[in-house]
Amino acid sequence: MSKVGTGLAVGKVATPALAAQAVHSAMQKAAINTPSAVLLFLSSEFANNPEPAIKAAAKMAGCTQIIGCSAPGIFTEEDWILDSPAAAAMVFSDGATLSTTDKKNTALLLTLAAPNAINNTWLKQPILRFGGISGDATGHGPFSVWQNGKGLQQGYCEVAIQHAACAVKASHGLKILSTPKQVTHAKQYQLQTVNHIDATNSLHLAWQEHSPSNKDIPYHQLVVIYGKHQEAIIQKADYHVATIIANDDKTMTLSKILQPGDWLSWAIRDVNAAQMDIIKKANELRLALTSEPSFAMLFSCLGRGPTFYNGSDQDLELIKTLFPTLPVIGFYGNGEIAPISDKTEILQYAAVLGLFTEKPTVNDSDI
């Protein structure tokens, strides 16, 4: 039976001792003397020079399979940390473990990437991915990604989680403002008309129905959700999300390319909707697994965590309520990676949750 445990260490200064402390705490919780692998997340204070902390974690664990990245905020089921030097670790025994070399027989790859490493070369490969984007709060400052105990110049790592069944879903946390309507004109990133109405006017009509008090439209909280079929929106299934980049009197510039014939609805980021959605997605993941989960990973947008929930990460709290003894690790980043409709996508303002349970080991004598 494999063992998994987490540890969290916080300090006033970013020292290698914090990484060692987090790994030691995780080893104690899981009763592991020598982990087979360590998932290590460090706060952005370590980003300029993570190597000493990585080496300290490897020395404490007695293994070189140290995988992770820096991020503006990190967490385990114990607590979440923002704006302080900190280290979070998840350790694995010889059962469920992490591999950066044997990736052939995995349905999903854990992928951690720096903002400047996002490109179609690996993003559009057939295998599906989940994970998060490293970086500081702006997405432009120092960042680091590492595997096998050392930093990566390519800026991203891809990891197979072996001997574990995995179920992953993205929680968008959106309240839908309008019934699905078809895109009638669009060109590249320009959304021109929806159901033969100017895109800007279509949004105004949806907003007036939602908020008849004539409050200003909060464009930074509004998004477009879309899909090839309206049922994806109505059933709140794996629809796609595009943010609003700019607008004029008639058209909208979006972050994704929509095609004429696509169905869309206008939606707004909403706290209550987000809480209900994370519970729904967690329960769907639980049902997708053959047994209760053994550990979890959560990748949340920096704008989705305590900032969104007025000083308390309700996503993390709700997951802890649903799974009181479950080891959880994750970070707040500048984007989330998740499979949507059998395609890997980079998301914004979302929370990507992965639940894992151990697969039975197959011996040669069983074949």
Side-chain angles (χ1 to χ4, degrees), residues 96 107-108 161-168 285 288-295 354-360:
L108 280 165
I161 302 174
Q162 296 182 321
H163 312 303
C166 171
V168 171
L285 294 176
L289 297 174
T290 56
S291 59
E292 281 295 294
S294 304
F295 60 96
L355 297 184
F356 304 84
T357 188
E358 184 178 13
K359 282 182 180 177

Side-chain angles (χ1 to χ4, degrees), residues 268-337:
I268 188 170
R269 298 176 63 215
D270 180 80
V271 167
N272 292 330
Q275 290 174 315
M276 289 188 289
D277 193 44
I278 197 72
I279 293 172
K280 177 177 180 287
K281 295 298 169 60
N283 284 324
E284 289 173 350
L285 294 176
R286 175 185 249 157
L287 290 173
L289 297 174
T290 56
S291 59
E292 281 295 294
S294 304
F295 60 96
M297 297 180 192
L298 178 64
F299 300 96
S300 184
C301 181
L302 189 60
R304 169 73 185 248
T307 304
F308 183 55
Y309 288 117
N310 196 27
S312 173
D313 189 340
Q314 289 300 306
D315 291 333
L316 185 59
E317 290 301 319
L318 289 168
I319 291 167
K320 287 161 61 176
T321 299
L322 292 170
F323 309 101
T325 62
L326 191 67
V328 182
I329 193 170
F331 65 80
Y332 306 110
N334 294 285
E336 302 73 56
I337 303 169

Side-chain angles (χ1 to χ4, degrees), residues 42-360:
L42 301 175
S43 61
S44 54
E45 289 85 358
F46 289 89
N48 281 316
N49 185 26
E51 297 289 347
I54 298 169
K55 290 179 180 178
K59 182 177 180 181
M60 176 59 68
C63 77
T64 58
Q65 190 68 305
I66 313 295
I67 297 159
C69 65
S70 62
I74 59 178
F75 53 83
T76 68
E77 76 280 5
E78 182 181 340
D79 203 357
W80 54 268
I81 305 298
L82 285 168
D83 302 323
S84 293
M90 177 175 275
V91 299
F92 299 82
S93 68
D94 288 329
T97 191
L98 309 178
S99 174
T100 57
T101 56
D102 185 8
K103 295 173 279 191
K104 293 181 180 179
N105 299 315
T106 185
L108 280 165
L109 283 178
L110 168 63
T111 304
L112 310 172
N116 66 348
I118 303 300
N119 62 70
N120 287 336
T121 301
W122 59 267
L123 190 60
K124 300 301 181 184
Q125 290 175 355
I127 192 165
L128 296 176
R129 301 167 183 272
F130 77 101
I133 308 302
S134 168
D136 67 356
T138 67
H140 300 289
F143 38 77
S144 298
V145 178
W146 50 83
Q147 70 180 40
N148 302 326
K150 58 184 179 181
L152 296 172
Q153 293 299 316
Q154 67 187 23
Y156 76 96
C157 68
E158 46 190 22
V159 185
I161 302 174
Q162 296 182 321
H163 312 303
C166 171
V168 171
K169 281 185 177 288
S171 170
H172 299 289
L174 299 172
K175 180 178 181 180
I176 298 175
L177 303 182
S178 62
T179 58
K181 295 178 176 60
Q182 277 193 297
V183 175
T184 42
H185 293 89
K187 184 177 181 181
Q188 292 297 314
Y189 294 94
Q190 300 294 318
L191 177 64
Q192 296 168 326
T193 64
V194 180
N195 196 28
H196 302 287
I197 298 173
D198 292 341
T200 300
N201 192 33
S202 173
L203 172 57
H204 286 180
L205 292 172
W207 180 251
Q208 287 169 9
E209 186 174 344
H210 168 72
S211 180
S213 61
N214 293 323
K215 290 194 298 186
D216 290 339
I217 299 177
Y219 287 100
H220 65 290
Q221 294 182 355
L222 294 171
V223 299
V224 171
I225 59 177
Y226 67 99
K228 294 298 180 185
H229 307 283
Q230 60 179 322
E231 287 77 14
I233 299 172
I234 294 171
Q235 298 171 7
K236 298 182 180 179
D238 281 347
Y239 51 68
H240 304 277
V241 178
T243 55
I244 299 171
I245 305 300
N247 69 287
D248 58 28
D249 290 340
K250 294 184 177 181
T251 66
M252 292 274 180
T253 303
L254 305 179
S255 62
K256 303 281 182 66
I257 296 176
L258 276 65
Q259 303 291 341
D262 286 345
W263 291 84
L264 72 73
S265 288
W266 302 101
I268 188 170
R269 298 176 63 215
D270 180 80
V271 167
N272 292 330
Q275 290 174 315
M276 289 188 289
D277 193 44
I278 197 72
I279 293 172
K280 177 177 180 287
K281 295 298 169 60
N283 284 324
E284 289 173 350
L285 294 176
R286 175 185 249 157
L287 290 173
L289 297 174
T290 56
S291 59
E292 281 295 294
S294 304
F295 60 96
M297 297 180 192
L298 178 64
F299 300 96
S300 184
C301 181
L302 189 60
R304 169 73 185 248
T307 304
F308 183 55
Y309 288 117
N310 196 27
S312 173
D313 189 340
Q314 289 300 306
D315 291 333
L316 185 59
E317 290 301 319
L318 289 168
I319 291 167
K320 287 161 61 176
T321 299
L322 292 170
F323 309 101
T325 62
L326 191 67
V328 182
I329 193 170
F331 65 80
Y332 306 110
N334 294 285
E336 302 73 56
I337 303 169
I340 304 291
S341 301
D342 296 323
K343 194 170 75 172
T344 299
E345 290 199 11
I346 303 296
L347 310 177
Q348 294 291 332
Y349 302 114
V352 174
L353 175 64
L355 297 184
F356 304 84
T357 188
E358 184 178 13
K359 282 182 180 177

